[in-house]
Amino acid sequence: MAPSILIAGATGNTGRNVVKTLSQLLATTETLPNHRIIALTRSAQSPAAQQLAQLPGVEVLEQNWIDLTPAWLQEQEVVRAFIASHNQPNHFAEESTFHVAALRAGVQYVVRISTTAANVRPDCDAYYARAHWAIESLLGSPEFHGLQWTSLQPNVFSGFWLASAAEFIKHSRTNGKQGTLRLMASETAPVGIVDPDEVGAFAAHLLVEVDPAVHHRARYVLNGPVDVTGREIVQMVGGRIGAPVESVRYEDLSDLDAYLEREFMGTPQSSRNVVWSVKHALRTAWDGKCTASTTSREVLEIAAPKRTPAQVLDDLLKE
């Protein structure tokens, strides 16, 4: 069996392009010869998993990453890994268990997805951002000196930020009526929203480094190439419906409320106080702390994000 690079969350927002880019890089460069890519998924029959299975060097395995053990990682000869965890309240328990298993199994290097850099601190009001801080602190402890790692801190994903704008345009085009445009963005604060595919591409480049030691313990901030304000989103929407937007609500979290209720509040173990703290994560964006200017130099040198908000919005309209 050949040494492998494990992708946990291979069919997720960032994982899909990690697998695609990694397949291309291993096929076209001399680094890491004879390494295979293990793409983990909870459903090997899903369309996304089936597409990944067609890529050179990729083996799709139906396996939940939260159940991985040191013995399994050793059996698969995993030497490098990527993980994009969920953001549920048990995030720290499950991702930290993954890293302990990687340490015990002798995995050499892990690239993980964190969250918006301005929120990764112990006093952030949003619970999941504190969990990311705790994971980074755990990995930075002396006990983990045998595991090299890099934490990627991407800004808010562009599709998430622009989803309501795309739906508004589709509705207006279909019904000839506007309704109210509800945006999570503030009216004037610039935010460097980023395409998750480009985050995945950067992660793949790190995973094929001949010597990842240069990126050990690094925390890289990823933003899109340009900032966008709520007012600019409104202008983009108006241009695509051919008329000024009549009614706008900025800093609107009604869609997020519905998502949290649907995804997290179905079990008695879910704490509303904890789950609803997610909404505090938006404040750093509204305060202008998440601009494109905060992107790490290494990101710009290795695989600089290029997709603009306008390009992402137009792609959302094709779906």
Side-chain angles (χ1 to χ4, degrees):
M1 188 178 293
S4 62
I5 303 173
L6 175 72
I7 311 301
T11 56
N13 284 331
T14 54
R16 282 172 292 184
N17 209 41
V18 175
V19 177
K20 292 177 184 177
T21 305
L22 198 54
S23 175
Q24 295 169 355
L25 291 173
L26 291 181
T28 57
T29 66
E30 297 299 322
T31 60
L32 305 184
N34 302 317
H35 281 59
R36 61 196 179 104
I37 302 166
I38 298 177
L40 291 191
T41 177
R42 285 178 292 180
S43 175
Q45 302 307 312
S46 70
Q50 290 293 300
Q51 289 178 1
L52 296 180
Q54 304 303 312
L55 297 174
V58 174
E59 179 182 356
V60 173
L61 294 182
E62 193 169 282
Q63 171 75 49
N64 195 331
W65 65 264
I66 67 173
D67 296 323
L68 298 183
T69 64
W72 188 94
L73 293 170
Q74 290 176 329
E75 180 183 342
Q76 297 295 330
E77 296 188 37
V78 175
V79 294
R80 300 186 181 192
F82 167 86
I83 179 169
S85 181
H86 56 74
N87 62 354
Q88 296 175 9
N90 59 343
H91 163 207
F92 176 82
E94 293 188 338
E95 188 180 341
S96 64
T97 298
F98 172 88
H99 293 302
V100 171
L103 177 68
R104 300 283 184 258
V107 175
Q108 299 166 8
Y109 180 48
V110 172
V111 177
R112 68 176 298 271
I113 296 293
S114 181
T115 190
T116 307
N119 289 331
V120 184
R121 59 182 199 274
D123 66 337
C124 184
D125 291 320
Y127 79 84
Y128 75 92
R130 296 194 303 272
H132 281 295
W133 170 83
I135 290 289
E136 292 180 358
S137 298
L138 174 144
L139 291 172
S141 66
E143 290 79 2
F144 275 80
H145 73 276
L147 177 64
Q148 297 186 90
W149 59 276
T150 304
S151 193
L152 307 187
Q153 299 176 335
N155 206 340
V156 62
F157 290 154
S158 48
F160 179 67
W161 204 242
L162 298 172
S164 62
E167 289 304 312
F168 180 91
I169 295 169
K170 291 176 182 178
H171 177 83
S172 298
R173 289 174 174 175
T174 301
N175 301 296
K177 297 179 181 179
Q178 291 195 16
T180 298
L181 174 57
R182 303 175 185 273
L183 299 175
M184 283 186 287
S186 75
E187 181 175 6
T188 59
V191 182
I193 58 177
V194 64
D195 187 324
D197 277 353
E198 298 193 307
V199 178
F202 178 72
H205 278 81
L206 296 184
L207 288 167
V208 298
E209 283 277 359
V210 175
D211 183 6
V214 66
H215 303 295
H216 180 36
R217 297 194 175 193
R219 298 166 174 84
Y220 292 140
V221 179
L222 296 97
N223 301 284
V226 295
D227 293 319
V228 66
T229 65
R231 188 180 299 164
E232 289 168 339
I233 296 173
V234 172
Q235 291 171 348
M236 287 193 292
V237 170
R240 284 157 180 79
I241 64 174
V245 177
E246 298 167 357
S247 176
V248 184
R249 285 188 60 177
Y250 296 104
E251 300 181 15
D252 183 280
L253 302 181
S254 55
D255 285 347
L256 182 58
D257 282 334
Y259 169 80
L260 294 175
E261 189 73 45
R262 181 177 67 252
E263 295 294 324
F264 293 94
M265 300 311 298
T267 64
Q269 290 79 23
S270 297
S271 163
R272 183 172 293 272
N273 187 41
V274 171
V275 170
W276 255 250
S277 72
V278 168
K279 298 194 290 186
H280 293 293
L282 279 298
R283 297 195 178 280
T284 50
W286 296 341
D287 290 342
K289 297 179 180 179
C290 304
T291 62
S293 64
T294 62
T295 302
S296 295
R297 172 182 55 81
E298 292 83 355
V299 175
L300 299 177
E301 292 175 348
I302 295 172
K306 296 184 171 106
R307 284 173 53 75
T308 66
Q311 290 173 319
V312 173
L313 181 57
D314 287 335
D315 284 344
L316 289 174
L317 294 175
K318 297 174 186 176
E319 296 178 356

mmCIF file with all atom_site columns, all heavy atoms in Angstrom, residues 256-270:
data_model
loop_
_atom_site.group_PDB
_atom_site.id
_atom_site.type_symbol
_atom_site.label_atom_id
_atom_site.label_alt_id
_atom_site.label_comp_id
_atom_site.label_asym_id
_atom_site.label_entity_id
_atom_site.label_seq_id
_atom_site.pdbx_PDB_ins_code
_atom_site.Cartn_x
_atom_site.Cartn_y
_atom_site.Cartn_z
_atom_site.occupancy
_atom_site.B_iso_or_equiv
_atom_site.pdbx_formal_charge
_atom_site.auth_seq_id
_atom_site.auth_comp_id
_atom_site.auth_asym_id
_atom_site.auth_atom_id
_atom_site.pdbx_PDB_model_num
ATOM 1   N N   . LEU A 1 256 ? -30.236 33.189 9.006  1.00 0.00 ? 256 LEU A N   1
ATOM 2   C CA  . LEU A 1 256 ? -29.365 32.466 9.925  1.00 0.00 ? 256 LEU A CA  1
ATOM 3   C C   . LEU A 1 256 ? -30.173 31.897 11.091 1.00 0.00 ? 256 LEU A C   1
ATOM 4   O O   . LEU A 1 256 ? -29.939 30.766 11.524 1.00 0.00 ? 256 LEU A O   1
ATOM 5   C CB  . LEU A 1 256 ? -28.265 33.388 10.447 1.00 0.00 ? 256 LEU A CB  1
ATOM 6   C CG  . LEU A 1 256 ? -27.243 32.763 11.400 1.00 0.00 ? 256 LEU A CG  1
ATOM 7   C CD1 . LEU A 1 256 ? -26.543 31.588 10.756 1.00 0.00 ? 256 LEU A CD1 1
ATOM 8   C CD2 . LEU A 1 256 ? -26.228 33.810 11.853 1.00 0.00 ? 256 LEU A CD2 1
ATOM 9   N N   . ASP A 1 257 ? -31.128 32.664 11.577 1.00 0.00 ? 257 ASP A N   1
ATOM 10  C CA  . ASP A 1 257 ? -32.007 32.168 12.641 1.00 0.00 ? 257 ASP A CA  1
ATOM 11  C C   . ASP A 1 257 ? -32.713 30.887 12.210 1.00 0.00 ? 257 ASP A C   1
ATOM 12  O O   . ASP A 1 257 ? -32.774 29.901 12.961 1.00 0.00 ? 257 ASP A O   1
ATOM 13  C CB  . ASP A 1 257 ? -33.060 33.227 12.989 1.00 0.00 ? 257 ASP A CB  1
ATOM 14  C CG  . ASP A 1 257 ? -32.504 34.333 13.864 1.00 0.00 ? 257 ASP A CG  1
ATOM 15  O OD1 . ASP A 1 257 ? -31.532 34.077 14.590 1.00 0.00 ? 257 ASP A OD1 1
ATOM 16  O OD2 . ASP A 1 257 ? -33.044 35.445 13.818 1.00 0.00 ? 257 ASP A OD2 1
ATOM 17  N N   . ALA A 1 258 ? -33.245 30.907 11.000 1.00 0.00 ? 258 ALA A N   1
ATOM 18  C CA  . ALA A 1 258 ? -33.965 29.735 10.493 1.00 0.00 ? 258 ALA A CA  1
ATOM 19  C C   . ALA A 1 258 ? -33.032 28.538 10.351 1.00 0.00 ? 258 ALA A C   1
ATOM 20  O O   . ALA A 1 258 ? -33.401 27.399 10.678 1.00 0.00 ? 258 ALA A O   1
ATOM 21  C CB  . ALA A 1 258 ? -34.617 30.065 9.150  1.00 0.00 ? 258 ALA A CB  1
ATOM 22  N N   . TYR A 1 259 ? -31.816 28.788 9.883  1.00 0.00 ? 259 TYR A N   1
ATOM 23  C CA  . TYR A 1 259 ? -30.838 27.706 9.729  1.00 0.00 ? 259 TYR A CA  1
ATOM 24  C C   . TYR A 1 259 ? -30.474 27.099 11.083 1.00 0.00 ? 259 TYR A C   1
ATOM 25  O O   . TYR A 1 259 ? -30.447 25.869 11.250 1.00 0.00 ? 259 TYR A O   1
ATOM 26  C CB  . TYR A 1 259 ? -29.585 28.241 9.039  1.00 0.00 ? 259 TYR A CB  1
ATOM 27  C CG  . TYR A 1 259 ? -28.427 27.282 9.062  1.00 0.00 ? 259 TYR A CG  1
ATOM 28  C CD1 . TYR A 1 259 ? -28.355 26.222 8.166  1.00 0.00 ? 259 TYR A CD1 1
ATOM 29  C CD2 . TYR A 1 259 ? -27.399 27.429 9.999  1.00 0.00 ? 259 TYR A CD2 1
ATOM 30  C CE1 . TYR A 1 259 ? -27.292 25.332 8.202  1.00 0.00 ? 259 TYR A CE1 1
ATOM 31  C CE2 . TYR A 1 259 ? -26.339 26.545 10.037 1.00 0.00 ? 259 TYR A CE2 1
ATOM 32  C CZ  . TYR A 1 259 ? -26.283 25.495 9.136  1.00 0.00 ? 259 TYR A CZ  1
ATOM 33  O OH  . TYR A 1 259 ? -25.234 24.622 9.190  1.00 0.00 ? 259 TYR A OH  1
ATOM 34  N N   . LEU A 1 260 ? -30.202 27.936 12.067 1.00 0.00 ? 260 LEU A N   1
ATOM 35  C CA  . LEU A 1 260 ? -29.820 27.440 13.385 1.00 0.00 ? 260 LEU A CA  1
ATOM 36  C C   . LEU A 1 260 ? -30.942 26.636 14.018 1.00 0.00 ? 260 LEU A C   1
ATOM 37  O O   . LEU A 1 260 ? -30.706 25.592 14.634 1.00 0.00 ? 260 LEU A O   1
ATOM 38  C CB  . LEU A 1 260 ? -29.425 28.620 14.285 1.00 0.00 ? 260 LEU A CB  1
ATOM 39  C CG  . LEU A 1 260 ? -28.171 29.399 13.880 1.00 0.00 ? 260 LEU A CG  1
ATOM 40  C CD1 . LEU A 1 260 ? -27.983 30.612 14.782 1.00 0.00 ? 260 LEU A CD1 1
ATOM 41  C CD2 . LEU A 1 260 ? -26.936 28.519 13.908 1.00 0.00 ? 260 LEU A CD2 1
ATOM 42  N N   . GLU A 1 261 ? -32.163 27.112 13.871 1.00 0.00 ? 261 GLU A N   1
ATOM 43  C CA  . GLU A 1 261 ? -33.309 26.398 14.418 1.00 0.00 ? 261 GLU A CA  1
ATOM 44  C C   . GLU A 1 261 ? -33.441 25.022 13.774 1.00 0.00 ? 261 GLU A C   1
ATOM 45  O O   . GLU A 1 261 ? -33.681 24.010 14.450 1.00 0.00 ? 261 GLU A O   1
ATOM 46  C CB  . GLU A 1 261 ? -34.581 27.214 14.192 1.00 0.00 ? 261 GLU A CB  1
ATOM 47  C CG  . GLU A 1 261 ? -35.812 26.678 14.895 1.00 0.00 ? 261 GLU A CG  1
ATOM 48  C CD  . GLU A 1 261 ? -35.777 26.913 16.395 1.00 0.00 ? 261 GLU A CD  1
ATOM 49  O OE1 . GLU A 1 261 ? -35.428 28.025 16.824 1.00 0.00 ? 261 GLU A OE1 1
ATOM 50  O OE2 . GLU A 1 261 ? -36.089 25.949 17.131 1.00 0.00 ? 261 GLU A OE2 1
ATOM 51  N N   . ARG A 1 262 ? -33.264 24.983 12.455 1.00 0.00 ? 262 ARG A N   1
ATOM 52  C CA  . ARG A 1 262 ? -33.451 23.741 11.703 1.00 0.00 ? 262 ARG A CA  1
ATOM 53  C C   . ARG A 1 262 ? -32.331 22.735 11.961 1.00 0.00 ? 262 ARG A C   1
ATOM 54  O O   . ARG A 1 262 ? -32.577 21.535 12.111 1.00 0.00 ? 262 ARG A O   1
ATOM 55  C CB  . ARG A 1 262 ? -33.522 24.073 10.213 1.00 0.00 ? 262 ARG A CB  1
ATOM 56  C CG  . ARG A 1 262 ? -33.747 22.866 9.315  1.00 0.00 ? 262 ARG A CG  1
ATOM 57  C CD  . ARG A 1 262 ? -33.879 23.284 7.859  1.00 0.00 ? 262 ARG A CD  1
ATOM 58  N NE  . ARG A 1 262 ? -32.635 23.830 7.324  1.00 0.00 ? 262 ARG A NE  1
ATOM 59  C CZ  . ARG A 1 262 ? -32.442 25.119 7.041  1.00 0.00 ? 262 ARG A CZ  1
ATOM 60  N NH1 . ARG A 1 262 ? -33.403 26.005 7.261  1.00 0.00 ? 262 ARG A NH1 1
ATOM 61  N NH2 . ARG A 1 262 ? -31.290 25.529 6.547  1.00 0.00 ? 262 ARG A NH2 1
ATOM 62  N N   . GLU A 1 263 ? -31.093 23.213 12.020 1.00 0.00 ? 263 GLU A N   1
ATOM 63  C CA  . GLU A 1 263 ? -29.946 22.316 12.070 1.00 0.00 ? 263 GLU A CA  1
ATOM 64  C C   . GLU A 1 263 ? -29.532 21.902 13.482 1.00 0.00 ? 263 GLU A C   1
ATOM 65  O O   . GLU A 1 263 ? -28.971 20.829 13.670 1.00 0.00 ? 263 GLU A O   1
ATOM 66  C CB  . GLU A 1 263 ? -28.745 22.973 11.367 1.00 0.00 ? 263 GLU A CB  1
ATOM 67  C CG  . GLU A 1 263 ? -28.947 23.205 9.874  1.00 0.00 ? 263 GLU A CG  1
ATOM 68  C CD  . GLU A 1 263 ? -29.060 21.897 9.109  1.00 0.00 ? 263 GLU A CD  1
ATOM 69  O OE1 . GLU A 1 263 ? -28.356 20.941 9.480  1.00 0.00 ? 263 GLU A OE1 1
ATOM 70  O OE2 . GLU A 1 263 ? -29.848 21.847 8.154  1.00 0.00 ? 263 GLU A OE2 1
ATOM 71  N N   . PHE A 1 264 ? -29.794 22.747 14.474 1.00 0.00 ? 264 PHE A N   1
ATOM 72  C CA  . PHE A 1 264 ? -29.199 22.507 15.780 1.00 0.00 ? 264 PHE A CA  1
ATOM 73  C C   . PHE A 1 264 ? -30.186 22.254 16.915 1.00 0.00 ? 264 PHE A C   1
ATOM 74  O O   . PHE A 1 264 ? -29.803 21.719 17.952 1.00 0.00 ? 264 PHE A O   1
ATOM 75  C CB  . PHE A 1 264 ? -28.320 23.697 16.192 1.00 0.00 ? 264 PHE A CB  1
ATOM 76  C CG  . PHE A 1 264 ? -27.102 23.873 15.334 1.00 0.00 ? 264 PHE A CG  1
ATOM 77  C CD1 . PHE A 1 264 ? -27.114 24.733 14.250 1.00 0.00 ? 264 PHE A CD1 1
ATOM 78  C CD2 . PHE A 1 264 ? -25.939 23.182 15.606 1.00 0.00 ? 264 PHE A CD2 1
ATOM 79  C CE1 . PHE A 1 264 ? -25.986 24.902 13.459 1.00 0.00 ? 264 PHE A CE1 1
ATOM 80  C CE2 . PHE A 1 264 ? -24.813 23.340 14.825 1.00 0.00 ? 264 PHE A CE2 1
ATOM 81  C CZ  . PHE A 1 264 ? -24.842 24.204 13.746 1.00 0.00 ? 264 PHE A CZ  1
ATOM 82  N N   . MET A 1 265 ? -31.427 22.656 16.750 1.00 0.00 ? 265 MET A N   1
ATOM 83  C CA  . MET A 1 265 ? -32.329 22.625 17.893 1.00 0.00 ? 265 MET A CA  1
ATOM 84  C C   . MET A 1 265 ? -33.250 21.413 17.915 1.00 0.00 ? 265 MET A C   1
ATOM 85  O O   . MET A 1 265 ? -34.275 21.410 18.588 1.00 0.00 ? 265 MET A O   1
ATOM 86  C CB  . MET A 1 265 ? -33.167 23.910 17.939 1.00 0.00 ? 265 MET A CB  1
ATOM 87  C CG  . MET A 1 265 ? -32.333 25.176 18.057 1.00 0.00 ? 265 MET A CG  1
ATOM 88  S SD  . MET A 1 265 ? -31.063 25.115 19.362 1.00 0.00 ? 265 MET A SD  1
ATOM 89  C CE  . MET A 1 265 ? -32.079 24.926 20.819 1.00 0.00 ? 265 MET A CE  1
ATOM 90  N N   . GLY A 1 266 ? -32.886 20.357 17.225 1.00 0.00 ? 266 GLY A N   1
ATOM 91  C CA  . GLY A 1 266 ? -33.742 19.179 17.172 1.00 0.00 ? 266 GLY A CA  1
ATOM 92  C C   . GLY A 1 266 ? -33.518 18.178 18.283 1.00 0.00 ? 266 GLY A C   1
ATOM 93  O O   . GLY A 1 266 ? -34.244 17.188 18.392 1.00 0.00 ? 266 GLY A O   1
ATOM 94  N N   . THR A 1 267 ? -32.499 18.381 19.114 1.00 0.00 ? 267 THR A N   1
ATOM 95  C CA  . THR A 1 267 ? -32.208 17.422 20.175 1.00 0.00 ? 267 THR A CA  1
ATOM 96  C C   . THR A 1 267 ? -32.191 18.136 21.527 1.00 0.00 ? 267 THR A C   1
ATOM 97  O O   . THR A 1 267 ? -31.854 19.326 21.602 1.00 0.00 ? 267 THR A O   1
ATOM 98  C CB  . THR A 1 267 ? -30.838 16.757 19.951 1.00 0.00 ? 267 THR A CB  1
ATOM 99  O OG1 . THR A 1 267 ? -29.814 17.757 20.038 1.00 0.00 ? 267 THR A OG1 1
ATOM 100 C CG2 . THR A 1 267 ? -30.772 16.104 18.586 1.00 0.00 ? 267 THR A CG2 1
ATOM 101 N N   . PRO A 1 268 ? -32.521 17.422 22.591 1.00 0.00 ? 268 PRO A N   1
ATOM 102 C CA  . PRO A 1 268 ? -32.549 18.063 23.911 1.00 0.00 ? 268 PRO A CA  1
ATOM 103 C C   . PRO A 1 268 ? -31.170 18.484 24.407 1.00 0.00 ? 268 PRO A C   1
ATOM 104 O O   . PRO A 1 268 ? -31.047 19.288 25.324 1.00 0.00 ? 268 PRO A O   1
ATOM 105 C CB  . PRO A 1 268 ? -33.153 16.963 24.810 1.00 0.00 ? 268 PRO A CB  1
ATOM 106 C CG  . PRO A 1 268 ? -32.914 15.681 24.085 1.00 0.00 ? 268 PRO A CG  1
ATOM 107 C CD  . PRO A 1 268 ? -32.991 16.029 22.626 1.00 0.00 ? 268 PRO A CD  1
ATOM 108 N N   . GLN A 1 269 ? -30.099 17.937 23.776 1.00 0.00 ? 269 GLN A N   1
ATOM 109 C CA  . GLN A 1 269 ? -28.745 18.303 24.206 1.00 0.00 ? 269 GLN A CA  1
ATOM 110 C C   . GLN A 1 269 ? -28.310 19.671 23.681 1.00 0.00 ? 269 GLN A C   1
ATOM 111 O O   . GLN A 1 269 ? -27.314 20.213 24.117 1.00 0.00 ? 269 GLN A O   1
ATOM 112 C CB  . GLN A 1 269 ? -27.735 17.243 23.733 1.00 0.00 ? 269 GLN A CB  1
ATOM 113 C CG  . GLN A 1 269 ? -27.834 15.908 24.443 1.00 0.00 ? 269 GLN A CG  1
ATOM 114 C CD  . GLN A 1 269 ? -28.979 15.060 23.928 1.00 0.00 ? 269 GLN A CD  1
ATOM 115 O OE1 . GLN A 1 269 ? -29.437 15.241 22.801 1.00 0.00 ? 269 GLN A OE1 1
ATOM 116 N NE2 . GLN A 1 269 ? -29.451 14.133 24.738 1.00 0.00 ? 269 GLN A NE2 1
ATOM 117 N N   . SER A 1 270 ? -29.050 20.236 22.751 1.00 0.00 ? 270 SER A N   1
ATOM 118 C CA  . SER A 1 270 ? -28.661 21.501 22.140 1.00 0.00 ? 270 SER A CA  1
ATOM 119 C C   . SER A 1 270 ? -29.037 22.668 23.047 1.00 0.00 ? 270 SER A C   1
ATOM 120 O O   . SER A 1 270 ? -30.198 22.799 23.451 1.00 0.00 ? 270 SER A O   1
ATOM 121 C CB  . SER A 1 270 ? -29.344 21.663 20.776 1.00 0.00 ? 270 SER A CB  1
ATOM 122 O OG  . SER A 1 270 ? -28.922 20.662 19.880 1.00 0.00 ? 270 SER A OG  1
#
